[in-house]
Amino acid sequence: MTSEKTNATLSFDDKTLELPMRSPSLGPDVIDIQKLYGQGGVFTYDPGFTSTASCESAITYIDGDKGELLYRGYPIDQLAEKSHFLEVCYLLLYGELPTAEQLNEFVPRVTRHTMLHEQMAYFYRGFRRDAHPMSIICGVQGAMSSFYHDSTDINDPWQREVASIRMIAKMPTVAAWAYKYSIGQPFIYPRNDLDYASNFLHMCFAVPAEEYVVDPIIARAMDRIFTLHADHEQNASTSTVRLAGSSGANPFACIAAGIACLWGPAHGGANEAALNMLREIGTVDRIPEYIARAKDKNDPFRLMGFGHRVYKNFDPRAKVMKQSADEVLGLMGIENNPTLQVAKELERIALEDPYFIEKKLYPNVDFYSGIILDAIGFPTSMFTPIFALARTVGWISQWKEMIADPTQKIGRPRQLYTGATHRDYVDVENR
Ligand code: SDX
């Protein structure tokens, strides 16, 4: 939903171009430069896309200055408090909160797709037991396109829908089995009598030898973590999914590409890196040493879980996550968890430090999430797979939006070439 505005005038060399401008429903206006090269013979240059809108989307909006995150217009803190993950999945996928009837139809559709093809269990056995779970879920997700040929035709809306539900439903099983494989325990099958978060926790922590009852407080915290990670505009992994999808690749392969990108420590891998950093700091008295390292231009060390390309105020997800950490660890009787104490003191000191204030660096979604996941019992290696599990619905919603856009075309950026100019081949004896 945009409105047309006056043109932007761009003058350079002997040219003056009128470029159309468009106003969004929220956020900055855009200058449409699609015809810039054709009319002006020049490219724009924006590595990292700091000032570039790569697409039009109606799914998620971030106001980095206000520290606001909206899923289809609904603030994340309201959804985290009042909604639940499968309802948020419906909202992201279809654009509106479901009626009770729509929800009662949607939830069983997901629940009844949580099992993997039995042959996929053998796929895990090709990995080393000490393989990082992200390497496993990236591989298993990519392999999924070889099991579900009946939902890989991206031009068939019904197949797109089936593939979407399958991936949202199966990712918890894929991730839980990666965890079980890494600890040498047997796979636990999904159960249709459990809700989405409880089912994931059961598949991770149950063993065949005894009954495992999911703690409802932990399940609620898990569900909230899924909601907080569900989507986030055109972040690196979502942009990867869109670019992969723009070539017509099947949805299972596109999501595998998103998982690969999310793994990086600058992105989804930061939750694992943040907890490892907090543990390395260990005690509050060592915080100044690490703050100094983070500020030292000659030291590559960064405060993991701090800073964000868009948020120049608090990441609203970090606020909810911090409250949830207090609540969950309090209910578990470990509110004095040393890592949580270090995190809180590190945040306090950093937010009073001129370096962090000037660069507008605040805790992001990854700063507190690991503390909760660690308290629940997950190893740090499972933190990013859990992020990927939750983000699958966001990746799919963005992919569906792109595929359904009649103006969609393959993404193919240009470049600023600074390499060798034309030169002729020289035989080896003459070099
Ligand atoms: C996620 O895009 C998304 O929406 C991602 C995400 C999502 O939901 O999809 O929100 C999830 O990826 C959250 C971010 C998790 N990553 C981390 O916590 C890793 C630590 N953070 C940084 O690496 C960094 O802040 C980024 C990658 C998050 C953002 O990088 P930018 O926007 O490219 O900013 P930058 O690297 O240009 O930094 C600006 C300045 C630099 O100093 P100068 O060169 O200007 O002197 O701030 C400094 C940086 O050195 N800086 C930090 C810092 N982050 C930035 N200094 C110390 N510690 C940090 N964490």
Side-chain angles (χ1 to χ4, degrees), residues 181-240:
Y181 184 72
S182 72
I183 58 175
Q185 288 186 359
F187 294 151
I188 299 295
Y189 284 86
R191 280 187 24 193
N192 291 350
D193 62 321
L194 296 176
D195 64 63
Y196 192 86
S198 299
N199 200 17
F200 174 64
L201 291 166
H202 186 265
M203 288 189 285
C204 287
F205 298 122
V207 290
E210 60 187 28
E211 188 67 25
Y212 178 82
V213 178
V214 177
D215 180 330
I217 293 165
I218 303 298
R220 179 71 189 123
M222 189 81 261
D223 187 273
R224 187 182 297 135
I225 287 174
F226 291 160
T227 290
L228 292 173
H229 287 81
D231 194 46
H232 214 237
E233 283 191 3
Q234 306 311 316
N235 59 83
S237 53
T238 297
S239 299
T240 300

Short mmCIF file of all heavy atoms in Angstrom, two decimals, residues 181-240:
data_model
loop_
_atom_site.label_atom_id
_atom_site.label_comp_id
_atom_site.label_asym_id
_atom_site.label_seq_id
_atom_site.Cartn_x
_atom_site.Cartn_y
_atom_site.Cartn_z
N TYR A 181 20.62 -36.59 17.87
CA TYR A 181 21.72 -37.28 17.20
C TYR A 181 23.06 -36.87 17.81
O TYR A 181 23.95 -37.69 18.03
CB TYR A 181 21.69 -36.97 15.71
CG TYR A 181 22.74 -37.73 14.93
CD1 TYR A 181 22.61 -39.10 14.70
CD2 TYR A 181 23.89 -37.10 14.47
CE1 TYR A 181 23.58 -39.82 14.00
CE2 TYR A 181 24.87 -37.80 13.78
CZ TYR A 181 24.71 -39.16 13.56
OH TYR A 181 25.68 -39.86 12.89
N SER A 182 23.18 -35.57 18.16
CA SER A 182 24.46 -35.06 18.67
C SER A 182 24.76 -35.59 20.08
O SER A 182 25.92 -35.63 20.50
CB SER A 182 24.44 -33.52 18.70
OG SER A 182 23.58 -33.07 19.75
N ILE A 183 23.71 -36.02 20.81
CA ILE A 183 23.97 -36.53 22.17
C ILE A 183 23.80 -38.06 22.21
O ILE A 183 23.79 -38.65 23.29
CB ILE A 183 23.06 -35.85 23.21
CG1 ILE A 183 21.56 -36.05 22.89
CG2 ILE A 183 23.39 -34.38 23.33
CD1 ILE A 183 20.63 -35.49 23.97
N GLY A 184 23.63 -38.67 21.05
CA GLY A 184 23.59 -40.14 21.01
C GLY A 184 22.33 -40.76 21.58
O GLY A 184 22.33 -41.93 21.94
N GLN A 185 21.26 -39.98 21.66
CA GLN A 185 20.00 -40.53 22.15
C GLN A 185 19.08 -40.83 20.96
O GLN A 185 19.20 -40.22 19.90
CB GLN A 185 19.31 -39.53 23.09
CG GLN A 185 20.01 -39.39 24.43
CD GLN A 185 19.22 -38.50 25.39
OE1 GLN A 185 18.15 -37.98 25.05
NE2 GLN A 185 19.74 -38.32 26.59
N PRO A 186 18.14 -41.76 21.16
CA PRO A 186 17.23 -42.11 20.05
C PRO A 186 16.28 -40.95 19.72
O PRO A 186 15.98 -40.11 20.59
CB PRO A 186 16.44 -43.31 20.61
CG PRO A 186 16.57 -43.24 22.09
CD PRO A 186 17.89 -42.59 22.38
N PHE A 187 15.88 -40.90 18.48
CA PHE A 187 14.91 -39.87 18.06
C PHE A 187 13.59 -40.10 18.78
O PHE A 187 13.17 -41.24 18.99
CB PHE A 187 14.68 -39.96 16.54
CG PHE A 187 15.90 -39.62 15.72
CD1 PHE A 187 16.08 -40.19 14.47
CD2 PHE A 187 16.88 -38.75 16.19
CE1 PHE A 187 17.19 -39.88 13.69
CE2 PHE A 187 17.99 -38.43 15.43
CZ PHE A 187 18.15 -39.01 14.18
N ILE A 188 12.96 -39.00 19.18
CA ILE A 188 11.62 -39.05 19.79
C ILE A 188 10.65 -38.52 18.75
O ILE A 188 10.84 -37.43 18.21
CB ILE A 188 11.56 -38.20 21.07
CG1 ILE A 188 12.56 -38.72 22.10
CG2 ILE A 188 10.13 -38.18 21.63
CD1 ILE A 188 12.28 -40.12 22.63
N TYR A 189 9.61 -39.30 18.47
CA TYR A 189 8.66 -38.88 17.44
C TYR A 189 7.74 -37.77 17.96
O TYR A 189 7.51 -37.65 19.18
CB TYR A 189 7.82 -40.08 16.98
CG TYR A 189 8.59 -41.00 16.06
CD1 TYR A 189 9.38 -42.02 16.59
CD2 TYR A 189 8.56 -40.83 14.69
CE1 TYR A 189 10.11 -42.85 15.75
CE2 TYR A 189 9.28 -41.67 13.84
CZ TYR A 189 10.07 -42.67 14.38
OH TYR A 189 10.80 -43.49 13.56
N PRO A 190 7.26 -36.92 17.04
CA PRO A 190 6.31 -35.87 17.46
C PRO A 190 5.03 -36.51 18.00
O PRO A 190 4.69 -37.64 17.65
CB PRO A 190 6.04 -35.09 16.18
CG PRO A 190 6.51 -35.96 15.05
CD PRO A 190 7.56 -36.86 15.60
N ARG A 191 4.33 -35.75 18.85
CA ARG A 191 3.06 -36.21 19.40
C ARG A 191 1.98 -35.19 19.12
O ARG A 191 2.16 -34.00 19.35
CB ARG A 191 3.19 -36.42 20.92
CG ARG A 191 3.84 -37.73 21.28
CD ARG A 191 3.84 -38.03 22.75
NE ARG A 191 2.80 -37.37 23.52
CZ ARG A 191 2.83 -37.34 24.86
NH1 ARG A 191 3.85 -37.90 25.50
NH2 ARG A 191 1.88 -36.76 25.54
N ASN A 192 0.86 -35.68 18.59
CA ASN A 192 -0.22 -34.78 18.17
C ASN A 192 -1.04 -34.24 19.34
O ASN A 192 -1.87 -33.36 19.16
CB ASN A 192 -1.14 -35.48 17.17
CG ASN A 192 -0.43 -35.73 15.85
OD1 ASN A 192 0.68 -35.22 15.64
ND2 ASN A 192 -1.03 -36.52 14.97
N ASP A 193 -0.80 -34.79 20.54
CA ASP A 193 -1.58 -34.30 21.69
C ASP A 193 -0.87 -33.13 22.37
O ASP A 193 -1.39 -32.58 23.35
CB ASP A 193 -1.80 -35.43 22.70
CG ASP A 193 -0.46 -35.95 23.26
OD1 ASP A 193 0.51 -36.04 22.47
OD2 ASP A 193 -0.38 -36.22 24.46
N LEU A 194 0.31 -32.75 21.87
CA LEU A 194 1.07 -31.64 22.49
C LEU A 194 1.01 -30.41 21.60
O LEU A 194 0.98 -30.51 20.38
CB LEU A 194 2.53 -32.06 22.70
CG LEU A 194 2.78 -33.23 23.66
CD1 LEU A 194 4.26 -33.58 23.69
CD2 LEU A 194 2.27 -32.90 25.06
N ASP A 195 1.06 -29.22 22.20
CA ASP A 195 1.11 -27.99 21.41
C ASP A 195 2.51 -27.87 20.78
O ASP A 195 3.42 -28.63 21.13
CB ASP A 195 0.78 -26.76 22.27
CG ASP A 195 1.80 -26.54 23.38
OD1 ASP A 195 2.99 -26.30 23.06
OD2 ASP A 195 1.43 -26.65 24.55
N TYR A 196 2.65 -26.92 19.91
CA TYR A 196 3.85 -26.80 19.09
C TYR A 196 5.13 -26.72 19.93
O TYR A 196 6.07 -27.49 19.72
CB TYR A 196 3.72 -25.54 18.21
CG TYR A 196 4.72 -25.39 17.10
CD1 TYR A 196 4.50 -25.96 15.85
CD2 TYR A 196 5.88 -24.63 17.28
CE1 TYR A 196 5.40 -25.79 14.81
CE2 TYR A 196 6.80 -24.47 16.25
CZ TYR A 196 6.54 -25.05 15.02
OH TYR A 196 7.45 -24.87 14.00
N ALA A 197 5.15 -25.85 20.93
CA ALA A 197 6.37 -25.67 21.73
C ALA A 197 6.60 -26.88 22.63
O ALA A 197 7.72 -27.38 22.75
CB ALA A 197 6.26 -24.39 22.57
N SER A 198 5.52 -27.40 23.22
CA SER A 198 5.65 -28.57 24.11
C SER A 198 6.14 -29.77 23.31
O SER A 198 6.96 -30.55 23.79
CB SER A 198 4.30 -28.89 24.74
OG SER A 198 3.86 -27.80 25.52
N ASN A 199 5.66 -29.91 22.07
CA ASN A 199 6.07 -31.03 21.23
C ASN A 199 7.57 -30.96 20.95
O ASN A 199 8.29 -31.96 21.03
CB ASN A 199 5.29 -30.97 19.91
CG ASN A 199 5.27 -32.31 19.19
OD1 ASN A 199 5.56 -33.37 19.76
ND2 ASN A 199 4.95 -32.26 17.91
N PHE A 200 8.06 -29.73 20.67
CA PHE A 200 9.50 -29.57 20.42
C PHE A 200 10.31 -29.92 21.67
O PHE A 200 11.28 -30.68 21.61
CB PHE A 200 9.80 -28.12 20.00
CG PHE A 200 11.26 -27.83 19.86
CD1 PHE A 200 12.03 -28.47 18.90
CD2 PHE A 200 11.89 -26.92 20.70
CE1 PHE A 200 13.40 -28.22 18.77
CE2 PHE A 200 13.25 -26.66 20.59
CZ PHE A 200 14.01 -27.30 19.62
N LEU A 201 9.87 -29.42 22.82
CA LEU A 201 10.60 -29.72 24.06
C LEU A 201 10.56 -31.22 24.36
O LEU A 201 11.57 -31.81 24.77
CB LEU A 201 9.98 -28.93 25.23
CG LEU A 201 10.19 -27.42 25.18
CD1 LEU A 201 9.26 -26.72 26.18
CD2 LEU A 201 11.65 -27.07 25.47
N HIS A 202 9.42 -31.84 24.10
CA HIS A 202 9.30 -33.29 24.34
C HIS A 202 10.24 -34.07 23.42
O HIS A 202 10.95 -34.98 23.87
CB HIS A 202 7.85 -33.73 24.11
CG HIS A 202 7.59 -35.16 24.47
ND1 HIS A 202 7.63 -36.18 23.54
CD2 HIS A 202 7.33 -35.76 25.67
CE1 HIS A 202 7.39 -37.34 24.14
NE2 HIS A 202 7.20 -37.10 25.43
N MET A 203 10.32 -33.68 22.15
CA MET A 203 11.21 -34.38 21.21
C MET A 203 12.68 -34.17 21.57
O MET A 203 13.53 -35.01 21.28
CB MET A 203 10.95 -33.90 19.79
CG MET A 203 9.64 -34.38 19.19
SD MET A 203 9.51 -34.00 17.43
CE MET A 203 9.18 -32.24 17.48
N CYS A 204 12.96 -33.05 22.26
CA CYS A 204 14.36 -32.78 22.65
C CYS A 204 14.73 -33.49 23.95
O CYS A 204 15.85 -34.01 24.06
CB CYS A 204 14.57 -31.28 22.84
SG CYS A 204 14.61 -30.34 21.30
N PHE A 205 13.84 -33.51 24.91
CA PHE A 205 14.26 -33.92 26.27
C PHE A 205 13.65 -35.23 26.75
O PHE A 205 14.08 -35.77 27.77
CB PHE A 205 13.94 -32.79 27.27
CG PHE A 205 14.68 -31.52 26.98
CD1 PHE A 205 14.00 -30.33 26.74
CD2 PHE A 205 16.06 -31.51 26.90
CE1 PHE A 205 14.69 -29.15 26.47
CE2 PHE A 205 16.76 -30.34 26.61
CZ PHE A 205 16.08 -29.17 26.40
N ALA A 206 12.67 -35.78 26.01
CA ALA A 206 12.11 -37.07 26.43
C ALA A 206 13.06 -38.20 26.04
O ALA A 206 13.86 -38.07 25.13
CB ALA A 206 10.76 -37.29 25.78
N VAL A 207 13.00 -39.29 26.79
CA VAL A 207 13.75 -40.51 26.42
C VAL A 207 12.77 -41.67 26.52
O VAL A 207 11.82 -41.63 27.30
CB VAL A 207 14.97 -40.74 27.36
CG1 VAL A 207 16.05 -39.70 27.10
CG2 VAL A 207 14.55 -40.74 28.83
N PRO A 208 13.00 -42.71 25.73
CA PRO A 208 12.07 -43.86 25.73
C PRO A 208 11.96 -44.55 27.10
O PRO A 208 10.98 -45.21 27.40
CB PRO A 208 12.65 -44.80 24.68
CG PRO A 208 13.59 -43.97 23.87
CD PRO A 208 14.09 -42.90 24.78
N ALA A 209 12.97 -44.31 27.94
CA ALA A 209 13.04 -45.09 29.19
C ALA A 209 12.05 -44.63 30.24
O ALA A 209 11.77 -45.33 31.20
CB ALA A 209 14.46 -45.01 29.75
N GLU A 210 11.53 -43.39 30.07
CA GLU A 210 10.60 -42.93 31.11
C GLU A 210 9.70 -41.83 30.54
O GLU A 210 9.99 -41.23 29.52
CB GLU A 210 11.39 -42.37 32.31
CG GLU A 210 12.28 -41.20 31.96
CD GLU A 210 13.16 -40.80 33.14
OE1 GLU A 210 13.47 -41.67 33.98
OE2 GLU A 210 13.53 -39.61 33.20
N GLU A 211 8.61 -41.57 31.25
CA GLU A 211 7.66 -40.53 30.87
C GLU A 211 8.33 -39.16 31.03
O GLU A 211 9.11 -38.96 31.97
CB GLU A 211 6.43 -40.63 31.78
CG GLU A 211 5.26 -39.74 31.39
CD GLU A 211 4.63 -40.16 30.06
OE1 GLU A 211 4.76 -41.34 29.71
OE2 GLU A 211 4.06 -39.30 29.37
N TYR A 212 8.14 -38.27 30.10
CA TYR A 212 8.65 -36.89 30.23
C TYR A 212 7.46 -35.95 30.15
O TYR A 212 6.74 -35.93 29.16
CB TYR A 212 9.65 -36.57 29.13
CG TYR A 212 10.16 -35.15 29.17
CD1 TYR A 212 11.20 -34.79 30.03
CD2 TYR A 212 9.58 -34.15 28.39
CE1 TYR A 212 11.66 -33.48 30.09
CE2 TYR A 212 10.03 -32.84 28.45
CZ TYR A 212 11.07 -32.51 29.31
OH TYR A 212 11.52 -31.20 29.37
N VAL A 213 7.25 -35.18 31.21
CA VAL A 213 6.15 -34.21 31.22
C VAL A 213 6.71 -32.82 31.02
O VAL A 213 7.60 -32.40 31.76
CB VAL A 213 5.37 -34.28 32.56
CG1 VAL A 213 4.24 -33.23 32.58
CG2 VAL A 213 4.82 -35.68 32.76
N VAL A 214 6.23 -32.13 29.99
CA VAL A 214 6.74 -30.78 29.70
C VAL A 214 6.21 -29.80 30.74
O VAL A 214 5.02 -29.78 31.04
CB VAL A 214 6.28 -30.34 28.28
CG1 VAL A 214 6.75 -28.92 27.99
CG2 VAL A 214 6.81 -31.31 27.21
N ASP A 215 7.12 -29.00 31.29
CA ASP A 215 6.73 -27.95 32.25
C ASP A 215 6.02 -26.83 31.49
O ASP A 215 6.61 -26.23 30.58
CB ASP A 215 8.01 -27.41 32.93
CG ASP A 215 7.70 -26.32 33.95
OD1 ASP A 215 6.70 -25.59 33.77
OD2 ASP A 215 8.45 -26.20 34.93
N PRO A 216 4.78 -26.52 31.81
CA PRO A 216 4.02 -25.50 31.07
C PRO A 216 4.69 -24.12 31.10
O PRO A 216 4.57 -23.36 30.14
CB PRO A 216 2.66 -25.50 31.74
CG PRO A 216 2.83 -26.21 33.04
CD PRO A 216 3.98 -27.14 32.88
N ILE A 217 5.40 -23.82 32.18
CA ILE A 217 6.10 -22.53 32.25
C ILE A 217 7.22 -22.48 31.20
O ILE A 217 7.39 -21.50 30.47
CB ILE A 217 6.69 -22.31 33.66
CG1 ILE A 217 5.57 -22.15 34.67
CG2 ILE A 217 7.62 -21.08 33.67
CD1 ILE A 217 6.04 -22.29 36.12
N ILE A 218 7.94 -23.59 31.09
CA ILE A 218 9.02 -23.67 30.09
C ILE A 218 8.44 -23.65 28.68
O ILE A 218 8.93 -22.97 27.78
CB ILE A 218 9.87 -24.95 30.29
CG1 ILE A 218 10.43 -25.02 31.70
CG2 ILE A 218 10.97 -25.04 29.24
CD1 ILE A 218 11.36 -23.92 32.07
N ALA A 219 7.32 -24.36 28.50
CA ALA A 219 6.68 -24.39 27.18
C ALA A 219 6.23 -22.99 26.76
O ALA A 219 6.40 -22.59 25.61
CB ALA A 219 5.50 -25.36 27.20
N ARG A 220 5.70 -22.24 27.72
CA ARG A 220 5.25 -20.87 27.40
C ARG A 220 6.44 -19.99 27.03
O ARG A 220 6.39 -19.19 26.10
CB ARG A 220 4.51 -20.28 28.62
CG ARG A 220 4.02 -18.85 28.42
CD ARG A 220 2.86 -18.74 27.46
NE ARG A 220 2.53 -17.36 27.11
CZ ARG A 220 2.51 -16.88 25.84
NH1 ARG A 220 2.79 -17.70 24.84
NH2 ARG A 220 2.20 -15.63 25.58
N ALA A 221 7.54 -20.16 27.77
CA ALA A 221 8.75 -19.37 27.47
C ALA A 221 9.29 -19.76 26.09
O ALA A 221 9.68 -18.90 25.30
CB ALA A 221 9.80 -19.62 28.54
N MET A 222 9.25 -21.04 25.77
CA MET A 222 9.73 -21.52 24.47
C MET A 222 8.86 -20.95 23.36
O MET A 222 9.37 -20.47 22.35
CB MET A 222 9.69 -23.06 24.46
CG MET A 222 10.35 -23.70 23.25
SD MET A 222 12.13 -23.83 23.41
CE MET A 222 12.68 -22.43 22.47
N ASP A 223 7.56 -20.99 23.57
CA ASP A 223 6.62 -20.48 22.56
C ASP A 223 6.87 -18.99 22.33
O ASP A 223 6.88 -18.51 21.20
CB ASP A 223 5.19 -20.72 23.03
CG ASP A 223 4.16 -20.39 21.98
OD1 ASP A 223 3.74 -19.22 21.89
OD2 ASP A 223 3.82 -21.29 21.19
N ARG A 224 7.14 -18.26 23.43
CA ARG A 224 7.37 -16.81 23.31
C ARG A 224 8.68 -16.55 22.55
O ARG A 224 8.75 -15.64 21.72
CB ARG A 224 7.45 -16.18 24.70
CG ARG A 224 7.52 -14.66 24.70
CD ARG A 224 7.66 -14.12 26.09
NE ARG A 224 6.48 -14.44 26.91
CZ ARG A 224 6.55 -14.90 28.16
NH1 ARG A 224 7.73 -15.15 28.71
NH2 ARG A 224 5.46 -15.13 28.86
N ILE A 225 9.68 -17.36 22.79
CA ILE A 225 10.95 -17.21 22.06
C ILE A 225 10.72 -17.44 20.57
O ILE A 225 11.24 -16.71 19.73
CB ILE A 225 12.02 -18.19 22.61
CG1 ILE A 225 12.51 -17.68 23.97
CG2 ILE A 225 13.19 -18.35 21.64
CD1 ILE A 225 13.46 -18.62 24.68
N PHE A 226 9.88 -18.42 20.22
CA PHE A 226 9.56 -18.64 18.81
C PHE A 226 8.91 -17.39 18.22
O PHE A 226 9.27 -16.92 17.15
CB PHE A 226 8.61 -19.82 18.65
CG PHE A 226 9.22 -21.17 18.96
CD1 PHE A 226 8.41 -22.26 19.26
CD2 PHE A 226 10.59 -21.37 18.96
CE1 PHE A 226 8.95 -23.51 19.54
CE2 PHE A 226 11.15 -22.61 19.25
CZ PHE A 226 10.32 -23.68 19.54
N THR A 227 7.94 -16.81 18.95
CA THR A 227 7.23 -15.62 18.44
C THR A 227 8.20 -14.47 18.22
O THR A 227 8.15 -13.77 17.21
CB THR A 227 6.12 -15.21 19.43
OG1 THR A 227 5.07 -16.19 19.41
CG2 THR A 227 5.55 -13.85 19.09
N LEU A 228 9.13 -14.27 19.17
CA LEU A 228 10.05 -13.13 19.09
C LEU A 228 11.00 -13.24 17.90
O LEU A 228 11.52 -12.25 17.42
CB LEU A 228 10.87 -13.02 20.39
CG LEU A 228 10.07 -12.63 21.64
CD1 LEU A 228 10.97 -12.74 22.86
CD2 LEU A 228 9.50 -11.23 21.52
N HIS A 229 11.22 -14.48 17.43
CA HIS A 229 12.20 -14.69 16.35
C HIS A 229 11.54 -14.92 14.99
O HIS A 229 12.24 -15.17 14.00
CB HIS A 229 13.07 -15.92 16.65
CG HIS A 229 14.08 -15.71 17.74
ND1 HIS A 229 13.76 -15.79 19.08
CD2 HIS A 229 15.39 -15.40 17.70
CE1 HIS A 229 14.83 -15.57 19.81
NE2 HIS A 229 15.85 -15.32 19.00
N ALA A 230 10.19 -14.82 14.93
CA ALA A 230 9.47 -15.32 13.75
C ALA A 230 9.79 -14.59 12.45
O ALA A 230 9.93 -15.20 11.41
CB ALA A 230 7.97 -15.27 14.02
N ASP A 231 9.90 -13.27 12.48
CA ASP A 231 10.21 -12.53 11.25
C ASP A 231 10.86 -11.20 11.58
O ASP A 231 10.76 -10.73 12.71
CB ASP A 231 8.94 -12.28 10.41
CG ASP A 231 9.29 -11.83 8.98
OD1 ASP A 231 10.18 -12.47 8.38
OD2 ASP A 231 8.73 -10.84 8.52
N HIS A 232 11.55 -10.63 10.60
CA HIS A 232 12.25 -9.36 10.91
C HIS A 232 12.63 -8.60 9.67
O HIS A 232 13.79 -8.25 9.47
CB HIS A 232 13.49 -9.65 11.75
CG HIS A 232 13.77 -8.55 12.74
ND1 HIS A 232 14.95 -7.86 12.78
CD2 HIS A 232 12.99 -8.03 13.71
CE1 HIS A 232 14.89 -6.94 13.74
NE2 HIS A 232 13.72 -7.03 14.32
N GLU A 233 11.67 -8.28 8.81
CA GLU A 233 11.89 -7.53 7.57
C GLU A 233 12.93 -8.26 6.69
O GLU A 233 12.97 -9.49 6.63
CB GLU A 233 12.38 -6.10 7.86
CG GLU A 233 11.35 -5.13 8.33
CD GLU A 233 11.91 -3.70 8.30
OE1 GLU A 233 13.06 -3.49 7.88
OE2 GLU A 233 11.17 -2.78 8.73
N GLN A 234 13.79 -7.49 6.03
CA GLN A 234 14.69 -8.06 5.01
C GLN A 234 16.09 -8.27 5.58
O GLN A 234 17.09 -7.86 5.01
CB GLN A 234 14.71 -7.12 3.79
CG GLN A 234 13.34 -6.79 3.22
CD GLN A 234 12.48 -8.02 3.02
OE1 GLN A 234 12.93 -9.05 2.51
NE2 GLN A 234 11.21 -7.96 3.43
N ASN A 235 16.16 -8.98 6.72
CA ASN A 235 17.47 -9.32 7.31
C ASN A 235 18.24 -10.22 6.35
O ASN A 235 17.72 -10.65 5.32
CB ASN A 235 17.23 -10.00 8.65
CG ASN A 235 16.40 -11.25 8.50
OD1 ASN A 235 16.90 -12.30 8.18
ND2 ASN A 235 15.09 -11.11 8.67
N ALA A 236 19.49 -10.50 6.70
CA ALA A 236 20.38 -11.20 5.77
C ALA A 236 19.81 -12.54 5.33
O ALA A 236 19.83 -12.87 4.13
CB ALA A 236 21.75 -11.39 6.42
N SER A 237 19.30 -13.33 6.26
CA SER A 237 18.82 -14.68 5.88
C SER A 237 17.52 -14.59 5.09
O SER A 237 17.32 -15.34 4.13
CB SER A 237 18.64 -15.54 7.12
OG SER A 237 17.82 -14.91 8.08
N THR A 238 16.65 -13.65 5.43
CA THR A 238 15.42 -13.49 4.65
C THR A 238 15.74 -13.01 3.24
O THR A 238 15.17 -13.49 2.25
CB THR A 238 14.48 -12.50 5.35
OG1 THR A 238 14.12 -13.04 6.63
CG2 THR A 238 13.23 -12.23 4.54
N SER A 239 16.70 -12.10 3.13
CA SER A 239 17.11 -11.64 1.80
C SER A 239 17.73 -12.78 1.00
O SER A 239 17.55 -12.87 -0.22
CB SER A 239 18.12 -10.49 1.93
OG SER A 239 17.51 -9.39 2.61
N THR A 240 18.41 -13.69 1.70
CA THR A 240 18.98 -14.87 1.03
C THR A 240 17.87 -15.76 0.49
O THR A 240 17.92 -16.24 -0.65
CB THR A 240 19.85 -15.66 2.03
OG1 THR A 240 20.91 -14.83 2.50
CG2 THR A 240 20.43 -16.91 1.39
#
